[in-house]
Every structure is written in C-alpha cells, then in structure tokens.
Amino acid sequence: MERIPILKMGDFLLVTIQVDLYDQLAENLETDLVNSVKKHNSKGVLIDISSVSIIDSFMGRILGNIGIMSRIMGAQSVIVGMQPAVAMTLVELGLTLTGVSTALNVEKGMELLRSKILLSEGQSDDYDNDTE
Amino acid sequence: MTTILSKEDFIIVKEQDVVPFRNKVKEAAVKIGMGILNQTKLITAASELVRNLLKYGGGGMVIIESVNNGRENGIRLIFADKGPGIADVSLAMKDGYSTGKSLGLGLPGTKRLVNEFDIQSTVGMGTTVTIIKWKNG
Ligand SMILES: Nc1ncnc2c1ncn2[C@@H]1O[C@H](COP(=O)(O)OP(=O)(O)O)[C@@H](O)[C@H]1O
Ligand SMILES: [Mg+2]
C-alpha cells in the first residue's frame, strides 16, 4: 500500500506530500502521523502541501483531523504552501479548515510552529502549577 | 445549443480508478485552455462526484466531453450509476446532509464550483449527475 513518508527532525515531524492525494492515501497519512507523534513524543507537525493540486471535502477533513488529533496528543501542527487555487476552491466548496494553522512556506511554517509550541508550553506550565 | 467536440468514457469501479480519472479531466481542461483556478474547481467537483458514484452508487461510468455553447468551450462531465438512487434530492443537496457520516458538502459544494449542475435520481434505478464548467466560467 502506498504511503507518504514522514520525516523526523528532532522534536518535529515533517511531511511533504508530493503526490496527488486520494482517500486511502490521506487516511493512511492520518493514522501514520498519529502513530509517529505518539512514538516520538513529537511537539510539532509540519505538512507541506505545495505540490498538492486538489483538495476536496474528504481530504480536507482529514487535514483538519490531523490538526485535532495532534493537539490531543500534545503536538502543534501547521500546514504550509497551499496553492491559491486550492484555497479558493475550498472556500467555495464550503470547507473552512477551522483549527488548522497555515503558513506560506516551510520557513514561515517552522517559525509559526515554534511560537505555537512556546505558547502551549507556557499554558501547560501554568496548568501544572495549578494542579501541583 | 451545446455541441459536443469530443467525448470519452471512463469506467469507475474501484478507488484506484479515481486518480487516473482526475488526470483525464485535467487533460481535457488543459486541452481547451482552461485556467488553473477553473481547472482546480472542475477537478475538485469531479473528485466529489466520483466518490459519491463509488461510495453510494457502487461504481459506474463517467463521460468526459469537450463542449461548445457558441461562445466558448467547456468541459461536461456525466456521472451515471445504477445504485440505490436518492429518495429526497433536495435534502441531499443541503449543506451538511450526509448518510455516510461525512461532511455533506459533495453535492452542494460541487454545484457552487461549476456553471451548470443537474441531478436526476430514481430510487432503485440509479443517479446521474451532469456538470459543465466553461473555460472562462
Ligand atoms: N450517487 C449517489 N447514489 C446514491 N446516493 C447518493 C449519491 N450521491 C449522493 N448521495 C446521497 O446524498 C448525500 C449527500 O452527498 P454529498 O453532498 O456528497 O455528501 P457526503 O458524501 O459527505 O455524504 C449522501 O450522503 C448520500 O446519501
Ligand atoms: Mg460526497
């Protein structure tokens, strides 16, 4: 079965989607990413979709799920490089990727990811203090 | 009057047929010089409808046509299955309505993405969805 490779870079997981998505492939990516976050205790997930030329409601929902699942497991996620035509099409389709952070490119995405992690660590520290 | 310039059939029976089918639609759109945004809208619509045809209709056939309306060229796609059909089409056309635990955006979203949209469905007989995206539509 075809799978999208997941690269581990320190505390981060990096995914570059270089083929066109179809349902099974997107579902496999969701499962694999969730497993990888758990296995490596990753703090951040960066998904580069700059080569993806179409995203429909099914694949869009999976991208949203990845964001939600990552957060539940304590990781932040950012999607980078969405083509303008893809973004406009998603809006007309009626899919708002709420809860998904996006950035223009990998560099900007990394910056965003780092600041999101800092922010969430600040929050969880407060939480620890309260409960201790 | 819509005239057909070229026509091709595509049998869809499994998920592996979807990517090659989407590529065929793209090819046809590129051939008539459709811009990237309209191409993306058309292929996204096609992706939604082909999933419905597989998931709910149990597979079927898609006809890809290049058409002309006297002013410009466009791509017409006809999705036909012999599945269970849809009892209440106007309900199925509502945003968020799904019997498949998904987002329920396929039909209404597709309608927004294309220039012409027609759905014919008979319970027990099947469903046919026809869409047209004009080159500059
Ligand atoms: N080809 C079809 N055959 C039978 N039922 C269909 C077909 N296409 C759509 N439907 C019905 O219409 C509903 C809405 O479809 P759609 O808008 O694509 O949303 P979703 O696929 O997320 O359910 C489906 O849940 C299904 O009940
Ligand atoms: Mg659908």
Side-chain angles (χ1 to χ4, degrees), chain A residues 21 23 56-57 92-93, chain B residues 15 22 47-48 51 112:
Chain A
L21 282 174
D23 296 4
D56 69 8
S57 68
E92 223 164 286
L93 191 63
Chain B
E15 213 202 309
R22 287 196 321 224
S47 186
E48 293 290 348
R51 176 179 305 106
R112 287 188 286 268

Side-chain angles (χ1 to χ4, degrees), chain B residues 7 13 17-18 21 32 37 40 52 58-59 64 73 84 86 90 100-101 111 135:
Chain B
K7 180 177 168 165
V13 289
D17 299 332
V18 170
F21 162 71
I32 64 161
L37 180 56
T40 307
N52 285 354
I64 305 174
N73 290 345
I86 303 171
S90 57
K101 293 190 182 116
K111 191 174 178 186
K135 184 182 160 184

Side-chain angles (χ1 to χ4, degrees), chain B residues 58-73:
Chain B
M61 190 174 79
V62 188
I63 303 170
I64 305 174
E65 293 173 340
S66 298
V67 292
N68 181 282
N69 64 356
R71 279 175 290 115
E72 61 180 331
N73 290 345

Side-chain angles (χ1 to χ4, degrees), chain A:
Chain A
M1 211 191 292
E2 195 182 355
R3 295 194 113 85
I4 298 166
I6 298 172
L7 224 73
K8 184 181 173 295
M9 276 180 63
D11 282 346
F12 291 174
L13 296 177
L14 212 102
V15 181
T16 308
I17 305 178
Q18 270 161 334
V19 294
D20 266 320
L21 282 174
Y22 52 88
D23 296 4
Q24 186 64 56
L25 192 60
E27 279 180 333
N28 290 347
L29 177 64
E30 183 184 356
T31 316
D32 291 351
L33 259 178
V34 168
N35 289 335
S36 297
V37 168
K38 203 163 141 197
K39 183 174 161 200
H40 302 299
N41 203 4
S42 306
K43 288 185 172 168
V45 176
L46 193 117
I47 305 172
D48 181 358
I49 59 166
S50 53
S51 306
V52 176
S53 58
I54 84 136
I55 295 177
D56 69 8
S57 68
F58 187 90
M59 309 166 222
R61 178 164 76 148
I62 288 194
L63 290 178
N65 283 349
I66 289 174
I68 294 165
M69 294 299 291
S70 304
R71 208 167 317 137
I72 290 173
M73 295 186 306
Q76 301 297 317
S77 63
V78 173
I79 289 174
V80 304
M82 186 183 290
Q83 292 177 16
V86 171
M88 287 185 249
T89 299
L90 279 179
V91 171
E92 223 164 286
L93 191 63
L95 192 77
T96 44
L97 285 174
T98 41
V100 175
S101 299
T102 55
L104 225 49
N105 53 41
V106 173
E107 205 186 329
K108 292 253 191 299
M110 280 292 188
E111 270 173 36
L112 180 59
L113 205 49
R114 289 208 180 87
S115 62
K116 282 182 65 159
I117 290 166
L118 275 179
L119 207 72
S120 72
E121 280 176 344
Q123 279 166 0
S124 63
D125 280 354
D126 290 348
Y127 182 72
D128 285 349
N129 291 340
D130 288 348
T131 49
E132 270 164 21

